[in-house]
PDB file of all heavy atoms in Angstrom:
ATOM      1  N   ILE A   1     118.502-212.169-113.325  1.00 90.00           N
ATOM      2  CA  ILE A   1     118.394-213.283-112.397  1.00 90.00           C
ATOM      3  C   ILE A   1     118.200-212.681-111.010  1.00 90.00           C
ATOM      4  O   ILE A   1     118.990-211.861-110.561  1.00 90.00           O
ATOM      5  CB  ILE A   1     119.658-214.168-112.406  1.00 90.00           C
ATOM      6  CG1 ILE A   1     120.007-214.607-113.834  1.00 90.00           C
ATOM      7  CG2 ILE A   1     119.488-215.346-111.463  1.00 90.00           C
ATOM      8  CD1 ILE A   1     118.913-215.349-114.561  1.00 90.00           C
ATOM      9  N   VAL A   2     117.134-213.090-110.342  1.00 89.00           N
ATOM     10  CA  VAL A   2     116.826-212.592-109.003  1.00 89.00           C
ATOM     11  C   VAL A   2     116.868-213.784-108.056  1.00 89.00           C
ATOM     12  O   VAL A   2     116.142-214.759-108.248  1.00 89.00           O
ATOM     13  CB  VAL A   2     115.436-211.926-108.957  1.00 89.00           C
ATOM     14  CG1 VAL A   2     115.099-211.482-107.549  1.00 89.00           C
ATOM     15  CG2 VAL A   2     115.356-210.765-109.930  1.00 89.00           C
ATOM     16  N   ASP A   3     117.725-213.707-107.053  1.00 87.00           N
ATOM     17  CA  ASP A   3     117.804-214.730-106.019  1.00 87.00           C
ATOM     18  C   ASP A   3     117.230-214.165-104.737  1.00 87.00           C
ATOM     19  O   ASP A   3     117.686-213.127-104.242  1.00 87.00           O
ATOM     20  CB  ASP A   3     119.252-215.158-105.767  1.00 87.00           C
ATOM     21  CG  ASP A   3     119.811-216.018-106.871  1.00 87.00           C
ATOM     22  OD1 ASP A   3     119.014-216.638-107.605  1.00 87.00           O
ATOM     23  OD2 ASP A   3     121.047-216.078-107.000  1.00 87.00           O
ATOM     24  N   LEU A   4     116.224-214.826-104.202  1.00 85.00           N
ATOM     25  CA  LEU A   4     115.585-214.415-102.967  1.00 85.00           C
ATOM     26  C   LEU A   4     115.850-215.478-101.909  1.00 85.00           C
ATOM     27  O   LEU A   4     115.577-216.653-102.133  1.00 85.00           O
ATOM     28  CB  LEU A   4     114.077-214.248-103.175  1.00 85.00           C
ATOM     29  CG  LEU A   4     113.655-213.279-104.278  1.00 85.00           C
ATOM     30  CD1 LEU A   4     112.161-213.391-104.548  1.00 85.00           C
ATOM     31  CD2 LEU A   4     114.034-211.862-103.907  1.00 85.00           C
ATOM     32  N   MET A   5     116.406-215.056-100.786  1.00 83.00           N
ATOM     33  CA  MET A   5     116.682-215.973 -99.686  1.00 83.00           C
ATOM     34  C   MET A   5     115.722-215.663 -98.542  1.00 83.00           C
ATOM     35  O   MET A   5     115.401-214.510 -98.304  1.00 83.00           O
ATOM     36  CB  MET A   5     118.115-215.808 -99.180  1.00 83.00           C
ATOM     37  CG  MET A   5     119.191-216.171-100.177  1.00 83.00           C
ATOM     38  SD  MET A   5     119.311-217.924-100.511  1.00 83.00           S
ATOM     39  CE  MET A   5     119.769-218.577 -98.934  1.00 83.00           C
ATOM     40  N   ALA A   6     115.289-216.708 -97.867  1.00 83.00           N
ATOM     41  CA  ALA A   6     114.412-216.542 -96.711  1.00 83.00           C
ATOM     42  C   ALA A   6     114.681-217.663 -95.725  1.00 83.00           C
ATOM     43  O   ALA A   6     115.133-218.740 -96.115  1.00 83.00           O
ATOM     44  CB  ALA A   6     112.951-216.579 -97.161  1.00 83.00           C
ATOM     45  N   PRO A   7     114.395-217.415 -94.444  1.00 84.00           N
ATOM     46  CA  PRO A   7     114.488-218.510 -93.487  1.00 84.00           C
ATOM     47  C   PRO A   7     113.554-219.640 -93.926  1.00 84.00           C
ATOM     48  O   PRO A   7     112.469-219.377 -94.467  1.00 84.00           O
ATOM     49  CB  PRO A   7     114.002-217.889 -92.176  1.00 84.00           C
ATOM     50  CG  PRO A   7     114.151-216.416 -92.355  1.00 84.00           C
ATOM     51  CD  PRO A   7     113.976-216.160 -93.824  1.00 84.00           C
ATOM     52  N   LEU A   8     113.969-220.855 -93.720  1.00 84.00           N
ATOM     53  CA  LEU A   8     113.209-222.007 -94.190  1.00 84.00           C
ATOM     54  C   LEU A   8     111.770-221.987 -93.685  1.00 84.00           C
ATOM     55  O   LEU A   8     110.844-222.319 -94.411  1.00 84.00           O
ATOM     56  CB  LEU A   8     113.905-223.301 -93.768  1.00 84.00           C
ATOM     57  CG  LEU A   8     113.369-224.586 -94.370  1.00 84.00           C
ATOM     58  CD1 LEU A   8     113.418-224.550 -95.889  1.00 84.00           C
ATOM     59  CD2 LEU A   8     114.150-225.772 -93.840  1.00 84.00           C
ATOM     60  N   GLY A   9     111.554-221.538 -92.460  1.00 83.00           N
ATOM     61  CA  GLY A   9     110.223-221.556 -91.878  1.00 83.00           C
ATOM     62  C   GLY A   9     109.320-220.403 -92.281  1.00 83.00           C
ATOM     63  O   GLY A   9     108.160-220.364 -91.883  1.00 83.00           O
ATOM     64  N   LEU A  10     109.806-219.453 -93.073  1.00 83.00           N
ATOM     65  CA  LEU A  10     108.983-218.297 -93.435  1.00 83.00           C
ATOM     66  C   LEU A  10     107.734-218.718 -94.191  1.00 83.00           C
ATOM     67  O   LEU A  10     106.661-218.160 -94.000  1.00 83.00           O
ATOM     68  CB  LEU A  10     109.796-217.294 -94.265  1.00 83.00           C
ATOM     69  CG  LEU A  10     109.068-216.019 -94.669  1.00 83.00           C
ATOM     70  CD1 LEU A  10     108.653-215.215 -93.434  1.00 83.00           C
ATOM     71  CD2 LEU A  10     109.940-215.161 -95.572  1.00 83.00           C
ATOM     72  N   PHE A  11     107.866-219.701 -95.036  1.00 82.00           N
ATOM     73  CA  PHE A  11     106.727-220.249 -95.768  1.00 82.00           C
ATOM     74  C   PHE A  11     106.543-221.679 -95.285  1.00 82.00           C
ATOM     75  O   PHE A  11     107.509-222.374 -95.030  1.00 82.00           O
ATOM     76  CB  PHE A  11     106.974-220.203 -97.275  1.00 82.00           C
ATOM     77  CG  PHE A  11     107.190-218.808 -97.770  1.00 82.00           C
ATOM     78  CD1 PHE A  11     108.463-218.315 -97.965  1.00 82.00           C
ATOM     79  CD2 PHE A  11     106.118-217.968 -98.004  1.00 82.00           C
ATOM     80  CE1 PHE A  11     108.671-217.019 -98.394  1.00 82.00           C
ATOM     81  CE2 PHE A  11     106.308-216.673 -98.436  1.00 82.00           C
ATOM     82  CZ  PHE A  11     107.586-216.192 -98.633  1.00 82.00           C
ATOM     83  N   GLY A  12     105.319-222.119 -95.190  1.00 80.00           N
ATOM     84  CA  GLY A  12     105.044-223.437 -94.626  1.00 80.00           C
ATOM     85  C   GLY A  12     105.719-224.588 -95.354  1.00 80.00           C
ATOM     86  O   GLY A  12     106.137-225.554 -94.748  1.00 80.00           O
ATOM     87  N   ASN A  13     105.857-224.465 -96.680  1.00 88.00           N
ATOM     88  CA  ASN A  13     106.472-225.535 -97.461  1.00 88.00           C
ATOM     89  C   ASN A  13     106.898-224.978 -98.809  1.00 88.00           C
ATOM     90  O   ASN A  13     106.692-223.789 -99.084  1.00 88.00           O
ATOM     91  CB  ASN A  13     105.506-226.715 -97.629  1.00 88.00           C
ATOM     92  CG  ASN A  13     104.208-226.295 -98.297  1.00 88.00           C
ATOM     93  OD1 ASN A  13     104.200-225.631 -99.331  1.00 88.00           O
ATOM     94  ND2 ASN A  13     103.084-226.675 -97.694  1.00 88.00           N
ATOM     95  N   HIS A  14     107.474-225.829 -99.653  1.00 89.00           N
ATOM     96  CA  HIS A  14     108.006-225.346-100.927  1.00 89.00           C
ATOM     97  C   HIS A  14     106.896-224.843-101.848  1.00 89.00           C
ATOM     98  O   HIS A  14     107.103-223.898-102.607  1.00 89.00           O
ATOM     99  CB  HIS A  14     108.857-226.417-101.610  1.00 89.00           C
ATOM    100  CG  HIS A  14     108.085-227.546-102.203  1.00 89.00           C
ATOM    101  ND1 HIS A  14     107.517-228.540-101.445  1.00 89.00           N
ATOM    102  CD2 HIS A  14     107.778-227.822-103.489  1.00 89.00           C
ATOM    103  CE1 HIS A  14     106.883-229.377-102.236  1.00 89.00           C
ATOM    104  NE2 HIS A  14     107.025-228.976-103.482  1.00 89.00           N
ATOM    105  N   LEU A  15     105.711-225.434-101.781  1.00 92.00           N
ATOM    106  CA  LEU A  15     104.612-224.956-102.635  1.00 92.00           C
ATOM    107  C   LEU A  15     104.155-223.559-102.217  1.00 92.00           C
ATOM    108  O   LEU A  15     103.863-222.722-103.069  1.00 92.00           O
ATOM    109  CB  LEU A  15     103.447-225.940-102.607  1.00 92.00           C
ATOM    110  CG  LEU A  15     103.710-227.279-103.293  1.00 92.00           C
ATOM    111  CD1 LEU A  15     102.509-228.200-103.125  1.00 92.00           C
ATOM    112  CD2 LEU A  15     104.060-227.097-104.758  1.00 92.00           C
ATOM    113  N   ALA A  16     104.106-223.304-100.915  1.00 90.00           N
ATOM    114  CA  ALA A  16     103.731-221.971-100.438  1.00 90.00           C
ATOM    115  C   ALA A  16     104.763-220.936-100.891  1.00 90.00           C
ATOM    116  O   ALA A  16     104.403-219.811-101.270  1.00 90.00           O
ATOM    117  CB  ALA A  16     103.590-221.967 -98.920  1.00 90.00           C
ATOM    118  N   ALA A  17     106.040-221.296-100.870  1.00 89.00           N
ATOM    119  CA  ALA A  17     107.085-220.377-101.327  1.00 89.00           C
ATOM    120  C   ALA A  17     106.966-220.139-102.831  1.00 89.00           C
ATOM    121  O   ALA A  17     107.092-219.000-103.296  1.00 89.00           O
ATOM    122  CB  ALA A  17     108.470-220.926-100.979  1.00 89.00           C
ATOM    123  N   PHE A  18     106.739-221.203-103.600  1.00 91.00           N
ATOM    124  CA  PHE A  18     106.523-221.043-105.041  1.00 91.00           C
ATOM    125  C   PHE A  18     105.323-220.140-105.310  1.00 91.00           C
ATOM    126  O   PHE A  18     105.379-219.237-106.149  1.00 91.00           O
ATOM    127  CB  PHE A  18     106.265-222.398-105.713  1.00 91.00           C
ATOM    128  CG  PHE A  18     107.485-223.057-106.295  1.00 91.00           C
ATOM    129  CD1 PHE A  18     107.727-224.401-106.049  1.00 91.00           C
ATOM    130  CD2 PHE A  18     108.374-222.382-107.112  1.00 91.00           C
ATOM    131  CE1 PHE A  18     108.824-225.046-106.588  1.00 91.00           C
ATOM    132  CE2 PHE A  18     109.475-223.008-107.664  1.00 91.00           C
ATOM    133  CZ  PHE A  18     109.701-224.344-107.398  1.00 91.00           C
ATOM    134  N   ASP A  19     104.212-220.392-104.606  1.00 92.00           N
ATOM    135  CA  ASP A  19     103.004-219.579-104.797  1.00 92.00           C
ATOM    136  C   ASP A  19     103.282-218.107-104.517  1.00 92.00           C
ATOM    137  O   ASP A  19     102.916-217.236-105.311  1.00 92.00           O
ATOM    138  CB  ASP A  19     101.866-220.062-103.882  1.00 92.00           C
ATOM    139  CG  ASP A  19     101.281-221.393-104.298  1.00 92.00           C
ATOM    140  OD1 ASP A  19     101.465-221.819-105.457  1.00 92.00           O
ATOM    141  OD2 ASP A  19     100.621-222.026-103.432  1.00 92.00           O
ATOM    142  N   ALA A  20     103.925-217.829-103.396  1.00 90.00           N
ATOM    143  CA  ALA A  20     104.215-216.439-103.018  1.00 90.00           C
ATOM    144  C   ALA A  20     105.141-215.780-104.038  1.00 90.00           C
ATOM    145  O   ALA A  20     104.911-214.645-104.456  1.00 90.00           O
ATOM    146  CB  ALA A  20     104.832-216.394-101.621  1.00 90.00           C
ATOM    147  N   GLY A  21     106.188-216.490-104.433  1.00 90.00           N
ATOM    148  CA  GLY A  21     107.128-215.928-105.395  1.00 90.00           C
ATOM    149  C   GLY A  21     106.490-215.674-106.750  1.00 90.00           C
ATOM    150  O   GLY A  21     106.660-214.611-107.341  1.00 90.00           O
ATOM    151  N   ALA A  22     105.742-216.643-107.246  1.00 94.00           N
ATOM    152  CA  ALA A  22     105.110-216.499-108.563  1.00 94.00           C
ATOM    153  C   ALA A  22     104.105-215.346-108.566  1.00 94.00           C
ATOM    154  O   ALA A  22     104.070-214.545-109.500  1.00 94.00           O
ATOM    155  CB  ALA A  22     104.430-217.806-108.967  1.00 94.00           C
ATOM    156  N   ARG A  23     103.290-215.258-107.523  1.00 93.00           N
ATOM    157  CA  ARG A  23     102.314-214.154-107.440  1.00 93.00           C
ATOM    158  C   ARG A  23     103.019-212.805-107.382  1.00 93.00           C
ATOM    159  O   ARG A  23     102.577-211.839-107.993  1.00 93.00           O
ATOM    160  CB  ARG A  23     101.412-214.328-106.224  1.00 93.00           C
ATOM    161  CG  ARG A  23     100.356-215.399-106.383  1.00 93.00           C
ATOM    162  CD  ARG A  23      99.301-215.330-105.281  1.00 93.00           C
ATOM    163  NE  ARG A  23      99.844-215.120-103.938  1.00 93.00           N
ATOM    164  CZ  ARG A  23     100.168-216.099-103.092  1.00 93.00           C
ATOM    165  NH1 ARG A  23     100.011-217.362-103.434  1.00 93.00           N
ATOM    166  NH2 ARG A  23     100.649-215.806-101.898  1.00 93.00           N
ATOM    167  N   CYS A  24     104.120-212.760-106.663  1.00 91.00           N
ATOM    168  CA  CYS A  24     104.876-211.520-106.543  1.00 91.00           C
ATOM    169  C   CYS A  24     105.421-211.075-107.907  1.00 91.00           C
ATOM    170  O   CYS A  24     105.242-209.921-108.311  1.00 91.00           O
ATOM    171  CB  CYS A  24     105.999-211.723-105.542  1.00 91.00           C
ATOM    172  SG  CYS A  24     106.976-210.254-105.222  1.00 91.00           S
ATOM    173  N   PHE A  25     106.058-211.987-108.636  1.00 94.00           N
ATOM    174  CA  PHE A  25     106.586-211.641-109.955  1.00 94.00           C
ATOM    175  C   PHE A  25     105.455-211.288-110.921  1.00 94.00           C
ATOM    176  O   PHE A  25     105.566-210.349-111.702  1.00 94.00           O
ATOM    177  CB  PHE A  25     107.458-212.767-110.519  1.00 94.00           C
ATOM    178  CG  PHE A  25     108.817-212.821-109.896  1.00 94.00           C
ATOM    179  CD1 PHE A  25     109.120-213.771-108.933  1.00 94.00           C
ATOM    180  CD2 PHE A  25     109.791-211.904-110.241  1.00 94.00           C
ATOM    181  CE1 PHE A  25     110.369-213.807-108.333  1.00 94.00           C
ATOM    182  CE2 PHE A  25     111.044-211.925-109.656  1.00 94.00           C
ATOM    183  CZ  PHE A  25     111.328-212.879-108.695  1.00 94.00           C
ATOM    184  N   ARG A  26     104.358-212.030-110.854  1.00 95.00           N
ATOM    185  CA  ARG A  26     103.193-211.717-111.693  1.00 95.00           C
ATOM    186  C   ARG A  26     102.708-210.291-111.424  1.00 95.00           C
ATOM    187  O   ARG A  26     102.481-209.515-112.351  1.00 95.00           O
ATOM    188  CB  ARG A  26     102.062-212.710-111.404  1.00 95.00           C
ATOM    189  CG  ARG A  26     100.774-212.403-112.178  1.00 95.00           C
ATOM    190  CD  ARG A  26      99.541-212.956-111.520  1.00 95.00           C
ATOM    191  NE  ARG A  26      99.340-212.391-110.188  1.00 95.00           N
ATOM    192  CZ  ARG A  26      98.626-212.984-109.233  1.00 95.00           C
ATOM    193  NH1 ARG A  26      98.072-214.160-109.447  1.00 95.00           N
ATOM    194  NH2 ARG A  26      98.492-212.412-108.054  1.00 95.00           N
TER     195      ARG A  26
END
């Protein structure tokens, strides 16, 4: 289980955060 925390404004919205996280794990 990997928990990644970031300031809310680091990614423009929840979809951008999902996209970045998924691409990173991929």
Side-chain angles (χ1 to χ4, degrees):
I1 307 303
V2 177
D3 286 338
L4 304 170
M5 296 290 297
L8 190 58
L10 182 62
F11 300 98
N13 58 49
H14 73 285
L15 291 177
F18 266 133
D19 289 341
R23 285 192 316 268
C24 183
F25 283 103
R26 176 204 61 203

